[in-house]
Amino acid sequence: MLRNSITDAVVLFVSPSGENNRSVCVFSMELGIIYAILYGGPKSKLKGLVSPFNRGKMYLYRDTVKNSIKITDFDVTNFHQTFRESLFKSWAASLASEIVIKTKCGGSPAECWKIFNGFLDGIELSDEDNGRLGLIRFLWRYLELLGIRPDTSFCARCGKAFFSERETSAAEHGKSNSAEYGSSRVEYSRTEPAELIQTAAIYMPSENGFLCTSCSAPDKGGFRLCKQALHYLTAVSELEPKEVRSLRCTAKAVNEMRDLTFYMIEAAAGLRLKSIESGLGIL
């Protein structure tokens, strides 16, 4: 890093440092995770700009004597105003930030930048229900970045396909409908066809794979996913983001996917995530 540098950056966390200064955790597209000091009194304009989840061009100065980095300016291009109005959105953004930090950007800052900021911009424009699905999509895509996302198409033990050829073709083209396939385009509902909310597969952590109901033993635990949930995760894996955003799920499917992705991301991080542990009732 040069003594003076400019980088595309998003603020992850800000905490007090001394009487007037702040310690800032920054995600830079070029530099990854960095920690910098922000100097200035309570009326500093720069302090107002360097707020969590703001994104833009950040100007940095590296003090080689003190071995520290100072933020000298921040040209913000993306604010997220609705995060201040929604406890869920702010908590979900904090969870995503914690994941990025704990996993060191998944080893790929450029790809992580795309996934992370796409998520922040997406939930900024979403209501809370759509935001919950957005969080699931972010986690599922991040698991792919980490290289540990399991295949949702086949049983990991016997190789049986979870979906018929017709269903697979429909999902690939984004044309599935709630009555036939399980990628519902309706809002949250408790009155979906019984076929869609029956258990279709069980994720077994020991195998990092999904097993069909024939291969899984009822007493072995695991995470059960109904057909709709399994189909939704498949759509996230195979369709363009704009196509997946049009799909909706039942509350049952959302809860199953949330529990699974929360477990898997904590297992990937190798520790309990504070945002999940303290915000479970919110997320």
Side-chain angles (χ1 to χ4, degrees):
M1 180 179 174
L2 300 176
R3 179 165 292 188
N4 289 287
S5 59
I6 305 172
T7 183
D8 291 309
V10 57
V11 179
L12 299 185
F13 290 106
V14 177
S15 59
S17 177
E19 185 175 350
N20 291 316
N21 306 324
R22 293 180 181 178
S23 176
V24 185
C25 180
V26 175
F27 176 22
S28 161
M29 183 168 65
E30 298 87 6
L31 305 172
I33 302 298
I34 59 176
Y35 292 88
I37 297 296
L38 178 61
Y39 296 100
K43 296 183 179 180
S44 167
K45 178 182 177 181
L46 186 56
K47 276 191 173 181
L49 294 173
V50 181
S51 298
F53 318 123
N54 284 356
R55 181 169 80 246
K57 294 287 185 182
M58 185 170 284
Y59 296 74
L60 304 171
Y61 173 78
R62 184 180 185 88
D63 188 327
T64 55
V65 176
K66 297 181 180 180
N67 193 28
S68 63
I69 299 172
K70 179 174 71 172
I71 299 173
T72 58
D73 203 356
F74 191 27
D75 183 11
V76 181
T77 56
N78 292 77
F79 297 89
H80 296 97
Q81 299 291 347
T82 64
F83 289 12
R84 301 178 182 179
E85 304 163 3
S86 168
L87 189 57
F88 164 76
K89 289 185 180 183
S90 62
W91 217 287
S94 295
L95 171 58
S97 298
E98 186 178 4
I99 291 168
V100 169
I101 294 170
K102 295 292 173 61
T103 63
K104 296 179 173 59
C105 307
S108 178
E111 186 62 24
C112 181
W113 175 270
K114 178 181 176 182
I115 297 172
F116 176 73
N117 285 297
F119 168 64
L120 294 186
D121 293 344
I123 62 172
E124 167 72 17
L125 301 174
S126 302
D127 58 24
E128 192 165 302
D129 282 345
N130 287 317
R132 293 184 188 281
L133 281 172
L135 178 58
I136 290 169
R137 292 194 299 271
F138 166 76
L139 295 174
W140 196 243
R141 289 170 180 142
Y142 205 90
L143 289 169
E144 180 185 28
L145 177 65
L146 295 173
I148 58 173
R149 188 173 74 185
D151 194 331
T152 55
S153 302
F154 303 93
C155 173
R157 187 168 295 172
C158 72
K160 175 184 175 182
F162 291 125
F163 306 109
S164 68
E165 188 173 321
R166 184 185 178 195
E167 289 173 320
T168 302
S169 176
E172 290 173 350
H173 293 86
K175 297 178 180 178
S176 55
N177 62 64
S178 62
E180 295 183 86
Y181 306 124
S183 291
S184 172
R185 292 181 181 272
V186 298
E187 297 297 332
Y188 289 92
S189 171
R190 297 181 180 274
T191 59
E192 289 293 312
E195 175 191 358
L196 302 183
I197 59 176
Q198 291 177 348
T199 298
I202 300 176
Y203 173 77
M204 298 302 295
S206 60
E207 302 188 39
N208 189 32
F210 290 96
L211 304 184
C212 66
T213 53
S214 299
C215 290
S216 57
D219 60 340
K220 293 296 184 180
F223 292 82
R224 295 176 176 271
L225 288 189
C226 64
K227 188 172 186 179
Q228 189 181 61
L230 195 64
H231 216 294
Y232 189 86
L233 294 181
T234 303
V236 175
S237 304
E238 299 178 355
L239 301 183
E240 292 295 322
K242 64 180 180 180
E243 295 178 293
V244 184
R245 285 195 295 269
S246 69
L247 307 180
R248 298 292 180 266
C249 294
T250 62
K252 172 182 171 62
V254 173
N255 290 336
E256 290 178 345
M257 292 187 291
R258 180 198 61 194
D259 292 345
L260 171 65
T261 53
F262 279 10
Y263 168 82
M264 292 188 68
I265 204 68
E266 285 194 320
L271 74 170
R272 295 297 303 274
L273 296 174
K274 294 180 180 179
S275 301
I276 291 179
E277 191 171 6
S278 57
L280 194 58
I282 300 169
L283 296 169

